[in-house]
Amino acid sequence: GARPTGSRATDDQRNVFMGAFLEADELKRVDRLRPIAEQLGYSMAQLALAWCLRRRNVASVIVGITKVAQLEDNTKASGLRMPAEVEAKIDEIFAAPAL
């Protein structure tokens, strides 16, 4: 998994809090989400936010944006439906040891 060009992940000053999430093993896990997002017709951000919003132990989700388009994309996540089997697959991807 590569860091998206132009994202905070490529800026060493802005990604200081992302640390372990940017390691190659974690990025490989993220890459396994791409086909799931595509199959549902969701952006990667929408998939991540929709999954977070459906977690019983999550009271709210805070998003960080740098562009209006990101805000518009992110807000769509609140109304997205996530089948139980998709949620289970995502849980499985992040519960298993990294590849």
Side-chain angles (χ1 to χ4, degrees):
R3 298 176 185 190
T5 304
S7 71
R8 276 182 261 201
T10 60
D11 183 334
D12 289 336
Q13 291 184 356
R14 294 172 64 201
N15 74 15
V16 294
F17 298 108
M18 295 181 196
F21 301 109
L22 297 175
E23 297 295 329
D25 289 345
E26 290 304 316
L27 292 174
K28 286 178 186 176
R29 292 177 196 251
V30 171
D31 284 341
R32 293 176 61 194
L33 299 177
R34 290 188 195 288
I36 296 171
E38 289 172 5
Q39 180 181 13
L40 294 170
Y42 299 173
S43 70
M44 289 289 284
Q46 289 170 346
L47 180 69
L49 291 169
W51 180 83
C52 289
L53 288 167
R54 277 139 188 88
R55 308 303 297 170
R56 291 178 188 222
N57 60 341
V58 174
S60 63
V61 178
I62 300 171
V63 298
I65 61 154
T66 56
K67 300 173 184 144
V68 173
Q70 292 170 326
L71 177 63
E72 292 169 347
D73 184 66
N74 289 349
T75 56
K76 293 175 185 174
S78 66
L80 297 180
R81 299 194 185 277
M82 181 173 292
E85 62 271 10
V86 169
E87 189 172 343
K89 180 65 177 173
I90 294 170
D91 290 344
E92 176 186 314
I93 289 169
F94 285 95
L99 300 174

